């Protein structure tokens, strides 16, 4: 499956506190209502903690959720 | 929805019915559209509307006797539209559109005998249907003198359409016989031939057919030019049917003038006199006259409803969208939001002359969506979580009055009143106990949110618990304060006696606490009181006793509008919900008083001073209209605290509910943080759960510049993110957001 990149999505200055690591962009699998997407997101390289930034959650991600709910 | 049901609903909505002018015109000229274009100075387009429908338009428009005028709704508001004069103006002033293109030739030929308006129009209409037509006449004669070239111009058009005109023909019975022999059909224009030829008896009223196969005859003595043209069209329709061998009579009811069901309200229409048409109109005069046209339509339901207006159409279109939405197997269901946004308030059905109830359509559609599993999961979830909370161990309660072992009555304030004005609910209960004695208390939700969301099974489940609580108190009479509770419980619990708190108070008199401040207030009837005249009267009786002068908004009483909360609109489309509240707020200049907790909240949140009747009957410390509107978390907190307090103070009981771990998390919010939580429907408890998770797992992010933390947690189906800082006295929340999409893997 192709990896989706959402422009403007980055760590925005956040880093993993537990691992003391900078986030790196990596493909992450997201699921909703029987659909699955691979999206490039900021991830802690050590523990794998994924960040969903505010603008993504309320923007593109919200739109896709609504779309899937109407499918 | 079955197709038959769709058709029934579609038939009920009359917005697409013809205006009276079109229905009265035997040719069904769209005078409304013509006037609309002319009023916009689109002269050529306005003429094209006439030319599209009329045969020989250059002639007919100049001699039309405008039967539409007698039917025009403007008649009693200054005078009918001078349609005949407008037609003449357009015939003179407009650029003629291209003549109509007939259908491809069908290889058949028809003779028209007689050349008056009827015969010529018949020839025009028959030629348009693809027949070759020959008109036999002495000469074409439309009975009036027209400006030079007008008739010749239309005859030239007919020539191009395939009509041959045989002038100076010998109009004899032999001609008829010969033509019947050689043609596919013959039409006799009775007023254009010698009487000696009329030997075929009266033609059939509908078909104009005679006892000779293939011979059609116009009725004699018609003097109205437009009815002569209509006779020509009727003959053409019959000849087409005859040549195709289909039914001669089926579905011809709408061929001539007919009654239309279109309803147009006139009470707000100011009378305007017609523009004098002596000597004909110039353009300015014609435009002004056309602008008097009322552009008749119904739209009664749409006018009064923010929701129906928002989707830009009217119920006949919406019902089709609802039907199509259900029929989709794969693809996007475009109408989910339309279905879920109806406030279910019933105003549309009340104002509709045909009782089209959008609420019935939408609620049924929601129920079917639930049954089929196609309801969007997020649509009503927040409200249903709130309902579950109100029915949960922290909020729900059922007790006899303190010290009593039985209940004559039980007070049911409803979950919204206890959420928004717990003090008022408490004082009301004290008053009822003091004056009625054995009054028990039930705190919980009536189940309306489950019902509105289409979840009947959930509603029944909630109702069963409520019934059990009520029966546990000995099935006393229920005193309910909330109009939605009253309506819901009366429908769902027919064996219970449900009395409104307002009628009780009318009987008992005002409570001691009542503020007899007087003044003028606008009364806001909640939509749940639409069909409950007694309830509305009780409220007015109390306001009268309080010395309040009452003002009624335009939409009120039976015709009241929803505040935007009904049907869970505010959950599904908060912007539209707020628009509904604003519409209500802007309807009056005076402060509002209402008797539904949600009406009060929705309208007060727009900034309009609005009080609940409890604010006057059982006031707290502050000014009645200035009581704050609590946010989502505070509303929950209010219910919990009320239950705790009542248990402790009235029944000397502990609440018996041990605090969960997350509730021990101490947190405050910045203003921005609190606003984000409120707008995104994120509760304090959701945030506390995130913070507890971060605290326990040690997993969170830190910001390189601000030093703030960021953590997430997914307690059930929504993932919450919280941006915060850690302080000595707990956490300070700066921001929060959420999403429903799940991160695959181990992130909790």
């Amino acid at each position: 499956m192709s990896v989706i990149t959402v422009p403007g999505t980055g760590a925005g200055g956040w880093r993993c506190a537990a691992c003391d690591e900078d986030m790196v962009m990596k493909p992450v699998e997201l699921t909703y209502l029987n659909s699955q997407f691979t999206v490039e997101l900021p991830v802690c390289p050590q523990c794998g903690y994924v960040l969903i930034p505010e603008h993504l959650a309320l923007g593109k991600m919200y739109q896709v959720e609504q779309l899937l709910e109407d499918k | 929805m079955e197709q038959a049901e769709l058709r029934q609903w579609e038939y009920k909505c009359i917005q697409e019915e013809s205006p009276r002018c079109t229905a009265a015109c035997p040719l069904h000229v769209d005078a409304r559209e013509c006037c609309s274009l002319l009023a916009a100075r689109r002269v050529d387009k306005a003429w094209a509307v006439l030319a599209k429908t009329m045969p020989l338009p250059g002639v007919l428009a100049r001699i039309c006797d405008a039967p539409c005028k007698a039917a025009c709704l403007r008649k009693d508001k200054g005078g009918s539209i001078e349609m005949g004069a407008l037609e003449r103006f357009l015939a003179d002033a407009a650029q003629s559109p291209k003549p109509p293109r007939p259908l491809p030739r069908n290889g058949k030929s028809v003779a028209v005998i007689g050349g008056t308006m009827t015969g010529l129009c018949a020839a025009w209409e028959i030629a348009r249907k693809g027949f070759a037509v020959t008109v036999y006449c002495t000469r074409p004669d439309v009975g009036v003198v027209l400006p030079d070239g007008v008739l010749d111009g239309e005859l030239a058009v007919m020539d191009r359409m395939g009509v041959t005109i045989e002038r100076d023909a010998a109009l004899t019975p032999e001609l008829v016989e010969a033509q019947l022999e050689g043609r596919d059909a013959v039409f006799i224009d009775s007023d254009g031939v010698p009487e000696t030829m009329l030997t075929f008896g009266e033609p059939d009223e509908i078909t104009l057919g005679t006892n000779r196969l293939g011979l059609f005859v116009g009725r004699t003595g018609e003097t109205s030019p437009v009815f002569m043209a209509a006779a020509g069209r009727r003959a053409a329709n019959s000849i087409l049917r005859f040549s195709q061998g289909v039914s001669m009579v089926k579905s011809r009811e709408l061929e001539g003038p007919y009654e239309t069901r279109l309803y147009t309200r006139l009470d707000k229409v100011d009378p305007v006199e017609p523009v004098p048409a002596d000597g004909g109109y110039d353009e300015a005069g014609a435009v002004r006259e056309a602008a008097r046209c009322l552009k008749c339509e119904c739209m009664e339901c749409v006018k009064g409803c923010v929701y129906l207006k928002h989707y830009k159409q009217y119920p006949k279109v919406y019902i089709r969208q609802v039907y199509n939405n259900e029929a989709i197997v794969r693809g996007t269901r475009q109408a989910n939001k339309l279905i879920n946004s109806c406030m279910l308030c019933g105003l549309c059905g009340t104002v509709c002359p045909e009782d089209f109830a959008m609420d019935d359509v939408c609620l049924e559609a929601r129920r079917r969506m639930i049954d089929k599993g196609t309801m969007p999961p997020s649509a009503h979830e927040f409200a249903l979580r709130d309902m579950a909370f109100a029915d949960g161990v922290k909020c729900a309660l059922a007790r006899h009055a303190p010290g009593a072992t039985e209940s004559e009555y039980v007070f049911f304030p409803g979950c919204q009143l206890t959420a928004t004005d717990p003090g008022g609910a408490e004082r009301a209960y004290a008053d009822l106990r003091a004056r009625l004695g054995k009054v028990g208390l039930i705190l919980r939700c009536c189940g309306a949110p489950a019902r509105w969301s289409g979840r009947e099974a959930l509603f029944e489940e909630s109702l069963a618990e409520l019934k059990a609580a009520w029966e546990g108190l000995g099935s006393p009479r229920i005193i309910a304060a909330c109009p939605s509770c009253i309506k819901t419980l009366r429908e769902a619990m027919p064996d219970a006696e449900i009395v409104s708190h307002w009628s009780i108070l009318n009987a008992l008199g005002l409570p001691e606490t009542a503020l007899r401040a007087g003044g003028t207030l606008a009364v806001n009837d909640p939509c749940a009181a639409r069909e409950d005249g007694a309830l509305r009267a009780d409220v007015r009786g109390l306001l009268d006793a309080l010395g309040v002068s009452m003002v009624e908004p335009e939409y009120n009483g039976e015709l009241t509008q929803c505040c935007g909360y009904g049907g869970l609109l505010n959950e599904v489309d908060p912007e539209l919900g707020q628009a509904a509240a604003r519409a209500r707020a802007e309807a009056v200049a005076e402060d509002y008083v209402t008797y539904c907790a949600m009406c009060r909240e929705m309208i007060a949140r727009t900034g309009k001073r609005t009080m609940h009747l409890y604010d006057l009957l059982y006031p707290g410390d502050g000014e009645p209209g200035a009581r704050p509107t609590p946010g989502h978390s505070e509303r929950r907190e209010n219910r919990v605290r009320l239950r705790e307090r009542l248990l402790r103070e009235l029944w000397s009981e502990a609440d018996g509910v041990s605090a969960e771990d997350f509730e021990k998390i101490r947190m405050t919010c910045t203003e921005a943080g609190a606003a984000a939580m409120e707008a995104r429907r994120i509760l304090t408890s959701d945030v506390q759960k995130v913070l507890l998770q971060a605290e326990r797992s040690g997993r969170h992010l830190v910001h390189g510049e601000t030093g703030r933390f960021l953590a997430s947690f997914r307690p059930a189906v929504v993932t919450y993110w919280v941006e915060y800082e850690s302080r000595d006295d707990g956490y300070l929340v700066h921001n929060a957001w959420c999403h429903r999409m799940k991160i695959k893997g181990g992130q909790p």
Side-chain angles (χ1 to χ4, degrees), chain A residues 12-15 17-18 29-32 36 47 49-52 54 57-58 61 65-66 69-71, chain B residues 332-333 336 376-378 680 699-704 708 710 712 721 735 737 739-742 744 747:
Chain A
W14 294 106
R15 49 200 315 279
E29 288 189 357
L30 300 174
T31 62
Y32 190 54
Q36 187 164 324
C47 71
Y49 198 94
V50 178
L51 165 65
I52 309 284
E54 181 180 15
L58 305 178
M61 191 179 256
E65 286 169 6
Q66 292 289 302
E69 290 198 350
D70 289 338
K71 284 284 178 198
Chain B
T332 305
R333 293 183 193 87
N336 281 350
S378 70
R680 296 163 189 175
R699 294 183 78 184
H700 58 271
L701 305 176
V702 62
H703 200 271
R708 289 180 193 163
L710 180 63
S712 73
W721 289 84
N735 195 6
W737 60 89
H739 54 84
R740 306 176 72 86
M741 217 171 264
K742 190 173 187 302
K744 229 177 159 187
Q747 195 148 324

Side-chain angles (χ1 to χ4, degrees), chain B residues 442-473:
Chain B
I442 293 182
L443 298 179
R444 59 182 301 125
C445 174
C446 70
R451 180 151 266 191
W452 289 342
S453 76
R455 289 163 174 84
E456 277 301 292
L458 182 64
F459 176 74
E460 291 299 333
E461 221 175 277
S462 161
L463 183 69
E465 287 179 23
L466 168 56
K467 271 187 182 165
W470 170 66
E471 283 161 3
L473 296 178

